[in-house]
Amino acid sequence: MVLKSPPKRKVIVGLVWGDEGKGKVVDELTYDGLTEDENTLVVRYQGGKNAGHTLIFMLNGKWHKFVTHAAPSGIVRGTDIAIGPRVAFDPIAFVKELNQANELLDGYKGRILVSNRAGICFEYHGLIDAAVESAGKGVGSTKSGIGPFYEDLARRTTRITFQDYLSERFPDRLKQVLEHKKAEMEAMGISVKGMLERLVETHKEPRNRLKDFGVDLEYRMTEYMKNGANIIIEGAQGSGLDRDMGDIPNTTSSELLAPCAFSSLGLRRQDFEIIGVEKIYPTRVGDGDFPTYATDSFAQVGDLNGEFGASTGRRRRVGYPDWVMARRNAWLNECDGIVLTRADGVQDRQMKVCTAYDVNEKVTTEVPVSLTGVKPVYGSNVYQWKLWEGHRNLADPLNEPLELTKARADYVAGGREALPQELRRFVDDHDRFVGCKTIGVSIGPKSGDTIYF
Ligand code: IMP
Ligand code: MG
């Protein structure tokens, strides 16, 4: 392998509550400058199929849409892909996406690496998650089993690793775990009768499909580094949902800040650039307080931009920009740059920006552990820009009008200076407040609809 350009090594994380467009940015940064003989590895380091990355990209002269839940976004490009040890790995969902990619790419040629240490997220994790939610004792989860999976991870004895999964011991190991969890499940009304046999049967095929992919990933990562490969590490959820640094308990169950990627993958921070993806207007799904939640006409932005969960179809709540949260998360992630997304989604709307919180009648720029009762304090600046005539974001991105595609392409070609002045002012004020430089602004859902500065 001959390197044609310096290796691009990046960690891509979400800066608010998820659904910022990380998948799209990963795709752009993976694909950008990629030559046939270059080696690119895209890695997932946390979360599971609670994630939903929507990718809209050009392949063989046609636009395609692909949603990944279990697999890293690189799957649509046939890059090498890896699953880290802290991922809630769902083999069935993964194989399904692999099959889709196989069809799309006419055979998957990239290498697939799954850490032998990764834990398996089973159907029963989903059943427990759903039972907790329907008993009204959850956090409005995606019901994909994430909470119960990470409980098992912390409990240790009920964690089934990918190594266990592939080995001949698997049925015995699963039997042991189900015995251990039987009382817990039955107390929730989940019958374990026949579950072992059922699981052994349904996992026969995925175990066979995945049998060659188990690796000691930290060592293989070192080799990729030595070989000068491009490595893109992608976060699944948004930093506001971090298990320890989000608003407890309304978080997901994994640690998702960028530094967690390095510790679990055996990599060093100084070898990577960390890019935060920030949707200009934040959205939140599930329970949890949302300081800038919009109760006025700004909320229409949600419907106009199709803000529905890619994993659950739930309506996402929409809020005004929250720079207090963005600043905290850019800092905690050690971001080197930010990509602002959905600048097209708020065009023609007057927008205020949250620059402080009112916590128990004290104005602060620090984010407390609970957001209950926190009121936004908006700065005196408001912003409004127009990219093109009319609000045409509802158009199906696979079949958008040619004039819209052209308008977007013109902005991409024009670069930063061609952007509306009001949008540039927004970016400048944002960067000053958040303390991190914007390196790109996204103006459309398709891969390539981003102006990188
Ligand atoms: P869980 O991760 O399914 O346990 O859900 C916990 C919380 O995180 C809920 O509020 C979910 O709506 C939220 N959440 C989890 N994954 C995502 C995601 O990929 N995008 C947005 N919200 C998410
Ligand atoms: Mg998503």
Side-chain angles (χ1 to χ4, degrees), residues 17 19 50-52 139-144 146-147 237 241 251-252 285-287 314:
W17 285 287
D19 308 309
N50 48 348
V139 297
S141 81
T142 61
K143 301 185 191 164
S144 28
I146 302 303
Q237 287 74 34
L241 292 169
T251 63
T252 189
V285 269
D287 299 353
R314 290 179 296 175

Side-chain angles (χ1 to χ4, degrees), residues 102 126 143 164 185 187 190 222 277 284-285 300-301 306 396:
N102 253 320
K143 301 185 191 164
D164 295 335
M185 287 200 264
I190 301 166
T222 314
V277 185
R284 188 163 191 177
V285 269
Q300 292 164 0
V301 162
D396 170 6

Side-chain angles (χ1 to χ4, degrees), residues 18-19 51-53 310 316:
D19 308 309
H53 292 168
R316 299 173 183 148

Side-chain angles (χ1 to χ4, degrees), residues 87-333:
V87 171
F89 185 63
D90 184 322
I92 293 180
F94 184 86
V95 165
K96 193 169 151 209
E97 289 167 26
L98 193 56
N99 288 342
Q100 287 168 354
N102 253 320
E103 208 166 293
L104 176 82
L105 301 167
D106 210 5
Y108 199 84
K109 302 195 180 62
R111 197 174 157 205
I112 297 166
L113 305 99
V114 182
S115 169
N116 283 325
R117 294 171 183 273
I120 307 298
C121 189
F122 283 102
E123 290 81 336
Y124 55 79
H125 291 118
L127 294 175
I128 299 171
D129 197 355
V132 172
E133 289 297 331
S134 50
K137 294 178 182 161
V139 297
S141 81
T142 61
K143 301 185 191 164
S144 28
I146 302 303
F149 167 87
Y150 283 101
E151 281 177 35
D152 281 342
L153 197 125
R155 184 158 35 185
R156 298 158 297 187
T157 49
T158 47
R159 175 182 191 168
I160 296 186
T161 63
F162 191 61
Q163 173 149 295
D164 295 335
Y165 184 72
L166 293 185
S167 87
E168 280 173 17
R169 297 185 312 271
F170 172 66
D172 291 337
R173 178 79 188 104
L174 186 60
K175 181 163 182 260
Q176 210 176 33
V177 168
L178 288 178
E179 272 163 15
H180 197 120
K181 292 176 72 77
K182 185 170 183 256
E184 172 198 355
M185 287 200 264
E186 286 184 342
M188 293 175 154
I190 301 166
S191 164
V192 291
K193 199 160 168 276
M195 191 183 269
L196 175 66
E197 295 70 23
R198 226 171 28 246
L199 286 177
V200 169
E201 187 53 37
T202 41
H203 283 272
K204 212 183 227 161
E205 203 252 351
R207 283 175 67 219
N208 190 43
R209 269 301 286 291
L210 302 173
K211 67 180 187 314
D212 299 326
F213 302 149
V215 297
D216 292 324
L217 188 64
E218 56 279 26
Y219 295 101
R220 302 296 81 75
M221 291 297 285
T222 314
E223 291 160 8
Y224 272 86
M225 291 294 294
K226 275 201 198 121
N227 293 338
N230 299 331
I231 301 179
I232 308 274
I233 301 173
E234 64 176 2
Q237 287 74 34
S239 309
L241 292 169
D242 182 85
R243 187 193 68 198
D244 304 312
M245 301 309 269
D247 53 315
I248 299 166
N250 293 309
T251 63
T252 189
S253 302
S254 62
E255 297 162 82
L256 44 85
L257 299 171
C260 303
F262 304 124
S263 61
S264 63
L265 297 169
L267 297 169
R268 302 186 315 166
R269 193 266 176 259
Q270 59 265 41
D271 295 328
F272 284 80
E273 250 183 297
I274 300 173
I275 308 296
V277 185
E278 180 185 348
K279 185 155 61 180
I280 288 178
Y281 59 90
T283 54
R284 188 163 191 177
V285 269
D287 299 353
D289 298 288
F290 189 176
T292 63
Y293 176 57
T295 49
D296 57 14
S297 64
F298 189 73
Q300 292 164 0
V301 162
D303 279 349
L304 283 171
N305 290 285
E307 291 291 355
F308 295 90
S311 291
T312 58
R314 290 179 296 175
R315 182 185 288 275
R316 299 173 183 148
R317 289 175 281 159
V318 170
Y320 282 99
D322 183 346
W323 288 355
V324 176
M325 188 61 79
R327 167 152 80 183
R328 168 186 169 83
N329 290 338
W331 159 55
L332 292 175
N333 278 299

Side-chain angles (χ1 to χ4, degrees), residues 12-16 20-22 25 275-279 338-339 341:
I12 315 289
V13 288
L15 279 197
V16 204
E20 300 95 348
K22 293 178 291 292
V25 173
I275 308 296
V277 185
E278 180 185 348
K279 185 155 61 180
I338 292 178
V339 177
T341 58

Side-chain angles (χ1 to χ4, degrees), residues 435-449:
C436 185
K437 234 180 149 34
T438 293
I439 59 153
V441 174
S442 161
I443 54 156
K446 307 193 301 312
S447 194
D449 287 342

